[in-house]
Amino acid sequence: MSGGRYTGTVEDPVPEQMRAAAEAFLSALDDPARDAARHAFDDEPARRWLEYRPRPRPGVTLAGLDVTARKAAHRLLATALSPAAYAQAMAVMALEEVLDRAEDWRRGRHSGDYWVAVFGDPARDDDWAWRFEGHHLSVSMTVADDRVSPAPVFLGANPATVRHAGRPVSRPLGPEEDLARELLDALGPGGRSAAIIAEEAPADIISATRAAAPDRLDPLGVPRGRLRPTGRALLDRLVALYLDRLPPELAAREADRLDGGELHFAWAGPVEPGRRHYYRVQGEDLLIEYDNTTDDGNHAHTVLRRPAGDFGADVLAAHHAAAHPPGPVSPGAPR
């Protein structure tokens, strides 16, 4: 939507940081690159897009940009991620070179094969969005009336772990695995039996690259309310780990939204490290998925999604409700 910038009080600095970074990014591009980067906000197929495989995608590629524009793209990405998650994202991108070497350079993978797309005009529009995406990395942010909707956020790693002399050299998604295993160990036999929903892990995360994540995945697994205090604390820490991918202001808002709601934890596959495994956490408008399901258990996918709020569905619904409130019903009008 065009027609001027929202002028209400802005307590959260993230929307303006994003807006300024997006404007700087677009300004750093030449005309052809700017045309490739910009899309209409109402281009739903391009905007509601999640693709973590090496595929063609909307936007402009980092590989074709000069240093100034590439740095502007990185600064835009940094507005959406905490320092720790930004470091994970940079490690994920660098792994493209490691993977290319492991594949004998056959596929030409490279760390510049990441794309930025901006939807709408951040300088003028109340509603706009942007995405930074490539192999094993997809970060989508939607802004409506200076409120950010921060999902989906996908991070993957292949190889998940690079070792030398038995010690990890690179393991960018290690905390996501280790904390879930710590939770699984703390559940005890009864809780573990309720949490483990299948002896084999699925081939990939269930939500995959769908524009709409499932509202609910069954079986749910074990509810937080059935866990002992240690288990509840570890499940809360696991959810916080994923929310803390976001800047502190957004993470705190998401935590407040989930406070008091029920959570469920589910695991599929063997519990021994190094084997194919999967877990998920579900709550009110929350889906966290993790898988490490190659034959050697060394290729990880993780995603933070909001089934009812992905791609700004929540903030856009609030915006449209405020802009177009239902009018009074005329006497005699059908109800």
Side-chain angles (χ1 to χ4, degrees):
M1 152 180 180
S2 298
R5 186 175 297 187
Y6 176 69
T7 58
T9 301
V10 179
E11 298 177 356
D12 180 357
V14 176
E16 279 304 313
Q17 290 169 357
M18 285 186 180
R19 189 186 296 275
E23 290 180 30
F25 168 68
L26 292 172
S27 296
L29 303 179
D30 60 23
D31 289 342
R34 192 176 301 112
D35 289 343
R38 296 186 68 165
H39 299 262
F41 184 81
D42 59 3
D43 184 351
E44 291 286 301
R47 187 174 65 82
R48 295 184 62 89
W49 172 285
L50 170 63
E51 180 55 84
Y52 49 81
R53 298 166 296 183
R55 299 282 195 277
R57 64 193 79 240
V60 62
T61 176
L62 298 187
L65 304 182
D66 62 21
V67 172
T68 299
R70 286 201 303 273
K71 289 302 296 183
H74 281 286
R75 292 188 182 104
L76 176 58
L77 176 63
T79 66
L81 300 177
S82 67
Y86 182 76
Q88 287 179 305
M90 294 302 100
V92 166
M93 294 171 66
L95 280 176
E96 286 298 279
E97 308 293 350
V98 177
L99 182 58
D100 197 39
R101 176 177 179 170
E103 295 174 338
D104 295 325
W105 320 105
R106 292 190 304 270
R107 297 187 62 173
R109 301 182 192 267
H110 59 92
S111 56
D113 194 15
Y114 289 83
W115 300 67
V116 184
V118 178
F119 302 91
D121 185 350
R124 298 180 61 250
D125 295 351
D126 292 336
D127 300 349
W128 66 283
W130 63 274
R131 181 175 58 249
F132 190 110
E133 186 182 74
H135 188 209
H136 284 151
L137 177 62
S138 184
V139 176
S140 289
M141 297 283 142
T142 308
V143 184
D145 289 342
D146 285 325
R147 185 175 174 87
V148 178
S149 184
V153 175
F154 178 98
L155 294 171
N158 183 17
T161 305
V162 178
R163 298 182 182 274
H164 174 70
R167 297 180 182 274
V169 173
S170 169
R171 193 170 176 246
L173 299 175
E176 285 81 351
E177 177 177 355
D178 294 346
L179 191 52
R181 289 191 180 279
E182 190 176 347
L183 169 58
L184 197 63
D185 290 342
L187 294 181
R192 199 174 301 121
S193 176
I196 297 176
I197 58 173
E199 294 182 357
E200 294 186 5
D204 199 352
I205 57 174
I206 307 301
S207 56
T209 59
R210 300 172 188 166
D215 291 332
R216 169 175 165 147
L217 294 175
D218 290 312
L220 287 171
V222 64
R224 181 184 182 278
R226 282 187 50 188
L227 304 183
R228 291 175 289 191
T230 298
R232 292 197 298 271
L234 285 168
L235 180 54
D236 291 345
R237 284 177 56 195
L238 183 61
V239 172
L241 176 66
Y242 282 86
L243 297 186
D244 284 347
R245 291 179 168 181
L246 306 172
E249 297 85 357
L250 298 186
R253 194 190 76 203
E254 291 298 292
D256 288 345
R257 184 180 63 81
L258 295 169
D259 188 36
E262 185 61 283
L263 297 170
H264 289 81
F265 173 74
W267 179 283
V271 298
E272 300 84 7
R275 302 184 64 186
R276 297 163 54 96
H277 59 284
Y278 163 94
Y279 70 78
R280 62 177 174 248
V281 180
Q282 295 185 83
E284 182 66 29
D285 194 19
L286 174 73
L287 174 62
I288 291 167
E289 288 191 277
Y290 168 103
D291 80 69
N292 198 327
T293 56
T294 57
D295 290 340
D296 58 357
N298 198 27
H299 182 161
H301 293 164
T302 70
V303 72
L304 169 66
R305 298 198 68 166
R306 295 184 54 195
D310 273 351
F311 303 104
D314 55 337
V315 293
L316 292 172
H319 168 82
H320 293 310
H324 306 286
V329 178
S330 302
R335 296 177 180 266

